[in-house]
Amino acid sequence: MSDDQLIETEDAMESTPTVGTPAGPLSELGSMLAEARMRCGWRGREAARLLGISRSQLVGLEAGLRSPDPTLAERLAEGLALTPHESSLLLAAATANGAAAEAAATAARPRA
């Protein structure tokens, strides 16, 4: 896909939550983030700029293809004015993702 096609696809996604993504915790988290962004009245590019992330990173988060690290989760929670419940879900997912990544890295290290 060319950069122009990717931008067109991202532009089409700016005003609606992501649909047709795989079911699961990240998908639900992504939908929550998209809904929060729309509550703020932000289109995708504007949200990405204001949150200090790339547009493709925001698309990945909203599509349920990426999970944030704890630092980004805190920034998203504050920037999108998430409810306390939404913030706790986001931070739990970020923390779980970080712990899983650390465990995978530990398991992949060669043993002496």
Side-chain angles (χ1 to χ4, degrees):
M1 180 179 279
S2 73
D3 287 344
D4 289 339
Q5 290 171 319
L6 181 60
I7 290 170
E8 288 174 15
T9 301
E10 290 173 353
D11 286 345
M13 294 174 67
E14 286 186 348
S15 60
T16 57
T18 306
V19 178
T21 57
L26 284 182
S27 177
E28 293 171 16
L29 192 66
S31 294
M32 180 188 73
L33 291 172
E35 290 169 10
R37 172 180 55 81
M38 289 187 297
R39 283 195 312 257
C40 291
W42 295 342
R43 294 182 56 109
R45 288 175 196 244
E46 178 182 22
R49 182 180 56 79
L50 293 170
L51 295 167
I53 61 176
S54 70
R55 177 69 183 117
S56 62
Q57 187 174 14
L58 180 62
V59 169
L61 290 165
E62 289 185 359
L65 302 174
R66 295 182 181 183
S67 63
D69 62 43
T71 302
L72 178 56
E74 290 177 8
R75 191 169 14 150
L76 292 170
E78 184 178 329
L80 293 170
L82 297 182
T83 66
H85 177 70
E86 291 170 333
S87 294
S88 67
L89 292 174
L90 181 62
L91 292 172
T95 303
N97 179 54
E102 186 174 325
T106 301
R109 286 190 195 119
R111 298 182 189 254

